[in-house]
Amino acid sequence: MSNRGTFGSKLAIVLATAGSAVGLGNIWRFPFMTGQNGGAAFILIYFACVFLLGIPGMVNEFLVGRHAQTNAARAYGQIGGRGWRVIGYLGILTSTIILGFYAVVAGWCLQYLFASIAGQLDGDPTYVVTYFKTFSSDPVKPCLWGVGFVLITHVVVSQGVEKGIERASKLLMPLLLVLLLILVVASCMLPGAVKGVEFLLKPDFSKVSSKVFLEALGQAFFSLSLGTACLCTYASYFKRDTNLLKSATQIALLDSFIAILAGLMIFPAAFSVGVQPDSGPSLIFITLPNVFREAFSAMPVVGYVISILFYALLVFAALTSTISMHEIGTVFFHEELKLTRHRAAWILTVICSVIAVFCSLSVGAYSNLQLFGMSLLDFCDFLTAQLMLPTGAFLTSILMGWVANRQLVKDEFTNGGTLRETFFRTWLFSVRYIVPLCIVLIFLHQFGIL
Ligand code: TRP
């Protein structure tokens, strides 16, 4: 399809894909998962998942997407035959569900942005907790923010202002990094912060259960945007000479670095002001306002400005991720149903908005909206991150390692023979054996079969 755009430069590719990877997964989900799973030991398993399974998995999706240069479902079909389109369908379904609940949390960030501008978050730790509870259990407001976030994503995806986003990313991503560093220092200087640093660095393996492995796997895939054909869709815009392994490695490193910074920002502060590390999805929202107040108590204006900047950048980071989830379905409906991009985008926007409203209500006003003992939001998160993403990545590994034409894969991997073959063998070994076996073992272990 010759009229599909390509990303402008090498930097733009890494930026857009990194923009998809870096988001609430790093700053919201990683700290709360780490907190619920006992800290350092979880992080070690998480790293193993990123480097052993994540990077080869990312390369898989990149290969499929760049080779086929079309929407996810068709791309998988081209590599393995019609039946393999199912990976694309599964990916589109998964990313639609993720966008639904992700928008709820992104909506909370929007609310916190405006609340910090209005100076409403200023108060002692008990006040901060009450503020979150009161806001999130309102029947209307959080729903509106969530749907609002889906609509903002809709505008960007359907109007195609990706160029503007690309340009903004060049400035805003480094700024987010700098601000995170400042907040890490600020948080670590709070009284009693050492306990939080220890929690992150001293592994306690007695806390490791089978659940921890699946949660680390799910977190790694979620954070890398892996397993939903999202990377495949982005790679369909890559240039022919992009070094796929190198890009995957760079993105995984950056993504992990930001997650660790987020941990170092949250836990020292949480321990300092007495927030429980296993507070779950509310963790960053009941911890951060304390950092801005306590750490900058001598210079409240600086704290005020930094808090606004931080929430603004968080919203931006979430937006570059929601765009990628929305794009998967939009291109699919656009190319397969021959709808205009606009109409195709509306299909997704409506479905995601409905999911967002139900998820939002389930953690607030209608807490009886539960499935398997979890709120609808937690259930969607569990279903996608821990079941659907690993399944997507598993099937993709089988396809690339065992089914696809070996020569074709090799040509794509080495950019038609221009790159060295050394890593090809290692990569092939891991997608044939390591990735599928590890995923199956973790599943079996979790469901008590092993
Ligand atoms: N990786 C993103 C984050 O960490 C979330 C995300 C974007 C995602 N696209 C995805 C997760 C596709 C899974 C699949 O915030």
Side-chain angles (χ1 to χ4, degrees):
M1 243 166 254
S2 55
N3 64 347
R4 305 180 101 240
T6 52
F7 283 118
S9 65
K10 283 199 181 148
L11 180 67
I13 295 162
V14 178
L15 265 179
T17 318
S20 162
V22 175
L24 299 177
N26 310 59
I27 294 168
W28 161 72
R29 202 173 185 279
F30 177 81
F32 98 69
M33 279 284 148
T34 306
Q36 283 181 336
N37 289 300
F42 171 84
I43 298 182
L44 284 179
I45 303 173
Y46 168 79
F47 277 144
C49 290
V50 168
F51 292 99
L52 230 58
L53 316 178
I55 294 178
M58 291 174 83
V59 173
N60 270 338
E61 286 196 24
F62 284 170
L63 290 167
V64 176
R66 192 183 58 180
H67 175 75
Q69 307 213 349
T70 178
N71 65 70
R74 196 172 280 255
Y76 282 98
Q78 270 189 26
I79 299 274
R82 271 195 90 82
W84 288 94
R85 280 184 168 215
V86 70
I87 304 182
Y89 299 136
L90 177 72
I92 292 158
L93 179 68
T94 314
S95 54
T96 308
I97 303 176
I98 296 183
L99 179 51
F101 77 79
Y102 198 94
V104 174
V105 183
W108 295 347
C109 298
L110 263 182
Q111 157 76 22
Y112 269 59
L113 172 60
F114 288 100
S116 61
I117 294 174
Q120 289 168 357
L121 296 171
D122 215 4
D124 60 26
T126 331
Y127 167 81
V128 173
V129 173
T130 317
Y131 181 89
F132 179 79
K133 281 204 180 123
T134 316
F135 156 70
S136 62
S137 54
D138 188 287
V140 184
K141 240 177 158 184
C143 295
L144 290 180
W145 286 118
V147 172
F149 208 92
V150 179
L151 288 175
I152 298 173
T153 310
H154 173 93
V155 171
V156 176
V157 172
S158 65
Q159 309 275 328
V161 293
E162 282 96 343
K163 281 271 173 295
I165 296 275
E166 245 174 70
R167 236 171 284 145
S169 297
K170 277 185 204 164
L171 175 72
L172 296 182
M173 290 262 275
L175 196 58
L176 176 66
L177 208 72
V178 172
L179 211 63
L180 271 173
L181 282 169
I182 295 176
L183 290 172
V184 167
V185 175
S187 170
C188 288
M189 280 172 26
L190 292 172
V194 184
K195 283 220 180 76
V197 179
E198 262 177 20
F199 180 74
L200 283 182
L201 301 181
K202 267 204 190 143
D204 173 3
F205 288 100
S206 66
K207 298 231 173 75
V208 175
S209 61
S210 58
K211 171 175 148 281
V212 175
F213 282 93
L214 187 62
E215 300 212 319
L217 178 77
Q219 174 58 25
F221 287 2
F222 187 91
S223 194
L224 297 171
S225 307
L226 187 68
T228 66
C230 173
L231 298 174
C232 162
T233 304
Y234 267 34
S236 71
Y237 305 108
F238 281 11
K239 287 189 171 167
R240 286 264 157 234
D241 63 351
T242 307
N243 184 334
L244 300 180
L245 178 64
K246 195 168 144 200
S247 306
T249 312
Q250 283 170 341
I251 292 165
L253 283 172
L254 176 73
D255 191 68
S256 307
F257 181 60
I258 293 191
I260 288 294
L261 286 185
L264 281 170
M265 165 179 80
I266 295 297
F267 289 106
F271 277 85
S272 170
V273 296
V275 168
Q276 291 302 320
D278 58 355
S279 302
S282 65
L283 180 67
I284 70 161
F285 296 96
I286 58 178
T287 307
L288 275 174
N290 296 305
V291 182
F292 301 130
R293 190 192 57 254
E294 299 285 325
F296 301 96
S297 56
M299 318 163 272
V301 180
V302 177
Y304 176 76
V305 173
I306 287 196
S307 72
I308 295 173
L309 253 179
F310 181 79
Y311 290 116
L313 291 172
L314 191 56
V315 164
F316 181 78
L319 183 64
T320 53
S321 298
T322 53
I323 290 171
S324 74
M325 299 176 219
H326 200 292
E327 176 79 12
I328 311 174
T330 301
V331 197
F332 173 75
F333 289 126
H334 169 53
E335 292 182 354
E336 294 300 307
L337 302 184
K338 310 269 180 288
L339 297 172
T340 59
R341 252 187 96 83
H342 252 79
R343 289 226 170 119
W346 271 116
I347 299 184
L348 248 99
T349 299
V350 171
I351 301 174
C352 293
S353 299
V354 173
I355 300 178
V357 167
F358 281 104
C359 283
S360 176
L361 293 175
S362 79
V363 284
Y366 294 92
S367 50
N368 52 349
L369 273 176
Q370 289 204 342
L371 274 176
F372 303 101
M374 293 178 250
S375 71
L376 202 59
L377 188 141
D378 286 337
F379 176 75
C380 287
D381 178 294
F382 168 79
L383 174 73
T384 51
Q386 292 176 42
L387 301 181
M388 295 171 89
L389 297 182
T391 305
F394 171 81
L395 292 175
T396 312
S397 265
I398 299 294
L399 170 67
M400 297 306 279
W402 298 90
V403 180
N405 177 313
R406 185 72 48 82
Q407 191 56 42
L408 180 151
V409 174
K410 191 170 175 180
D411 281 348
E412 198 64 51
F413 189 97
T414 57
N415 294 348
T418 53
L419 299 175
R420 275 188 298 140
E421 275 180 32
T422 347
F423 294 117
F424 178 70
R425 288 175 197 291
T426 325
W427 168 80
L428 190 64
F429 181 79
S430 61
V431 298
R432 279 170 75 92
Y433 303 102
I434 300 179
V435 177
L437 271 178
C438 286
I439 295 177
V440 168
L441 285 180
I442 291 175
F443 268 163
L444 291 180
H445 198 41
Q446 164 76 13
F447 297 110
I449 302 170
L450 205 76

